[in-house]
Amino acid sequence: MDKRAKPHILCVGAAVLDTLYRVRTMPTGQGKVLPYDMLQIAEGMASSAAFAVAKLGGDASLWSAVGDDQTGERIIGDLAESGIDTRGMRRVAGARSAVSTILIDDVGERLIIPFYDPRLHQLVQSVTADHVAPFDAVLVDVRWPSLALQTLLAAREAKLPAILDGDVAAEGVIEMLAPAASHIVFSQPAAERLAGTAQPPSMVHRLKERFSHAFVSVTFGEKGSYWFDDDSGRIRHLEAPCITPTDTLAAGDIFHGTFALTLSEGMAIEDVMRASSMAAAIKCQTFGGRIGAPARAELDQALMSWPAKAVDITARNGPAQAL
């Protein structure tokens, strides 16, 4: 397929107004918590992924839903100002926009308390191959399953990459969406639940057996990422860049946005995984959720100075060797 110089990625799913509080340590019980920094920002899985695409120089469109309230107006405004095409966003009469409160501690870990009004996602317009034809790839999260499914199916019909952010979701959601996806990037918690094991190679092996039609990978945070290589029939592992994290919020979303963009650019899958891993690592060094996503020049420079190579897992629980 002829690749455009500037791919256009469609992201489908969550748009949330996040209130981030930075605290020294996570609370362990009831009482008062005194943060020393705070930020309000419009993000969410699909929204942050779209921002990553735009920050890296691609075109990003977002299909999402907000309420007909001031919060919804702010969400759309913030995302539009960030370079995302928000014309496909829906304002739902009588619904409340999604919000979340997030605590982030000094080692970068977070506690998230989200609220999604179920009325936001009750109505879904029909999505056809013609609707997605202007894009080079689609990326969906798990927050609007009915729209995500239609979009994935339309992308497959249009012969476009149909990418699923396989994060933790309500029972049955990933099982419904994964068969329609061409590429699935699972989070570790979601993958463990589906595969029934905490061992990364076995996890990827079982997920590939279950979703044999798709590219399958799992991200493990500081432990890097694993994926099934369809050419060799083996599982591969890429270590994560060595950093001191400040804020891990939206790291996975930045990974997915970078994955969608670089895949659309025609990169080899190992280079896609390297770029996505580095983009997520760069993000983790900045407080503020998605705002830590790198620009293209920053990402390219970081990749040039990162010597990590993927390793080939030669047996499910056996040794690995560098390629």
Side-chain angles (χ1 to χ4, degrees), residues 241-264:
C242 185
I243 63 165
T244 300
T246 296
D247 172 11
T248 60
L249 180 68
D253 310 327
I254 302 308
F255 186 108
H256 293 109
T258 306
F259 182 98
L261 179 64
T262 53
L263 184 71
S264 297

Side-chain angles (χ1 to χ4, degrees), residues 63 67 69 81 103 113 130 146 163 174 185 187-188 209 227 232 253 260 280 314:
W63 290 357
D69 50 21
E81 288 177 4
L103 302 183
I113 307 172
D130 288 340
S146 52
I163 305 161
I174 291 181
V185 183
S187 68
Q188 178 182 355
E209 285 186 330
W227 68 94
S232 67
D253 310 327
T314 57

Side-chain angles (χ1 to χ4, degrees), residues 240-311:
C242 185
I243 63 165
T244 300
T246 296
D247 172 11
T248 60
L249 180 68
D253 310 327
I254 302 308
F255 186 108
H256 293 109
T258 306
F259 182 98
L261 179 64
T262 53
L263 184 71
S264 297
E265 292 173 344
M267 282 191 181
I269 197 64
E270 181 171 335
D271 293 329
V272 169
M273 297 298 287
R274 289 187 83 253
S276 303
S277 299
M278 180 57 73
I282 292 171
K283 183 256 98 49
C284 287
Q285 297 172 80
T286 299
F287 171 71
R290 66 173 169 87
I291 64 173
R296 194 57 177 260
E298 182 183 7
L299 176 60
D300 289 346
Q301 182 62 40
L303 287 169
M304 288 178 62
S305 59
W306 185 35
K309 296 181 180 180
V311 296

Side-chain angles (χ1 to χ4, degrees), residues 19-224:
T19 303
L20 282 57
Y21 294 103
R22 199 168 182 189
V23 298
R24 295 299 180 193
T25 58
M26 283 295 172
T28 57
Q30 63 181 348
K32 182 177 291 187
V33 178
L34 299 178
Y36 65 92
D37 200 357
M38 72 85 65
L39 174 71
Q40 283 192 315
I41 185 170
E43 46 189 5
M45 289 187 287
S47 300
S48 296
F51 178 70
V53 170
K55 191 75 180 289
L56 289 170
D59 288 327
S61 293
L62 178 65
W63 290 357
S64 187
V66 298
D68 59 345
D69 50 21
Q70 290 185 341
T71 300
E73 184 175 344
R74 175 171 178 181
I75 290 171
I76 293 175
D78 283 2
L79 295 174
E81 288 177 4
S82 298
I84 300 168
D85 180 0
T86 59
R87 290 175 294 177
M89 294 187 68
R90 172 185 294 176
R91 300 198 65 170
V92 181
R96 289 176 289 177
S97 296
V99 295
S100 67
T101 298
I102 303 169
L103 302 183
I104 302 169
D105 68 16
D106 278 350
V107 295
E109 294 302 324
R110 75 270 192 191
L111 173 66
I112 304 175
I113 307 172
F115 171 76
Y116 290 89
D117 188 333
R119 293 172 293 182
L120 285 174
H121 302 144
Q122 285 180 339
L123 299 177
V124 180
Q125 70 270 26
S126 176
V127 181
T128 68
D130 288 340
H131 290 130
V132 300
F135 305 103
D136 294 286
V138 304
L139 167 65
V140 308
D141 69 29
V142 294
R143 290 293 174 256
W144 196 347
S146 52
L147 181 61
L149 179 59
Q150 288 205 43
T151 306
L152 289 173
L153 291 171
R156 293 294 294 270
E157 183 179 351
K159 302 188 185 315
L160 299 176
I163 305 161
L164 171 61
D165 175 353
D167 203 356
V168 175
E171 189 69 29
V173 169
I174 291 181
E175 292 88 340
M176 176 182 73
L177 298 178
S182 63
H183 297 74
I184 311 171
V185 183
F186 290 100
S187 68
Q188 178 182 355
E192 285 188 9
R193 182 184 68 81
L194 287 168
T197 177
Q199 297 299 318
S202 296
M203 189 184 302
V204 175
H205 182 83
R206 293 181 186 183
L207 290 171
K208 182 62 179 181
E209 285 186 330
R210 185 169 183 177
F211 306 114
S212 59
H213 65 285
F215 168 81
V216 170
S217 63
V218 183
T219 59
F220 288 85
E222 64 183 12
K223 297 179 181 178

Side-chain angles (χ1 to χ4, degrees), residues 234-245:
R234 294 178 173 177
I235 296 165
R236 306 193 73 193
H237 172 240
L238 179 68
E239 67 181 36
C242 185
I243 63 165
T244 300

